[in-house]
Amino acid sequence: MSEGSYFSRNLLNKQVLMSALFTAYKNLLWPLVGIGLPIVIFGVDGTGIEKATFFIAISICLFIPYFCLCFTMHKLSLKTKDDEEKFYALSPKERGKVIGDELSGWW
């Protein structure tokens, strides 16, 4: 197992990062669509383009802290060396899915 920090081995790895981004956004999109989309459609005045732009901007503003929290909580969940070895034995795509799914059971 090559040495390196959690940041350099996961966040700088393109496959891990893209897989984590996709998984985390997919997990966050369900509550956004279920709760936020009706609020935007019925509660915001404006054209369809303005409403869509507002929804996309809000989803990005909520996604950035959510994604950072996924990485932070996953880093904190690797308490033992055995946990780290099991995690790093996964393929890059699987590591990204594990990171992106870190907070999925919290709601």
Side-chain angles (χ1 to χ4, degrees), residues 34-47:
I35 298 168
L37 197 56
I39 291 170
V40 171
I41 290 174
F42 299 114
V44 176
D45 293 331
T47 64

Side-chain angles (χ1 to χ4, degrees), residues 13-47:
N13 185 329
K14 186 177 180 179
Q15 286 182 328
V16 174
L17 182 64
M18 294 310 287
S19 180
L21 282 169
F22 177 75
T23 305
Y25 193 72
K26 181 183 69 171
N27 290 337
L28 185 64
L29 197 58
W30 286 108
L32 284 175
V33 169
I35 298 168
L37 197 56
I39 291 170
V40 171
I41 290 174
F42 299 114
V44 176
D45 293 331
T47 64

Side-chain angles (χ1 to χ4, degrees), residues 60-71:
I60 290 171
C61 289
L62 291 174
F63 176 70
I64 292 170
Y66 178 80
F67 185 67
C68 293
L69 190 61
C70 281
F71 259 95

Side-chain angles (χ1 to χ4, degrees), residues 66-79:
Y66 178 80
F67 185 67
C68 293
L69 190 61
C70 281
F71 259 95
T72 303
M73 294 306 293
H74 185 264
K75 170 66 174 133
L76 294 174
S77 73
L78 298 176
K79 295 182 192 288

Side-chain angles (χ1 to χ4, degrees), residues 77-96:
S77 73
L78 298 176
K79 295 182 192 288
T80 65
K81 196 72 163 165
D82 189 43
D83 292 340
E84 288 181 18
E85 288 175 3
K86 287 180 185 176
F87 174 68
Y88 288 122
L90 298 172
S91 70
K93 283 188 176 184
E94 289 298 317
R95 286 189 309 203

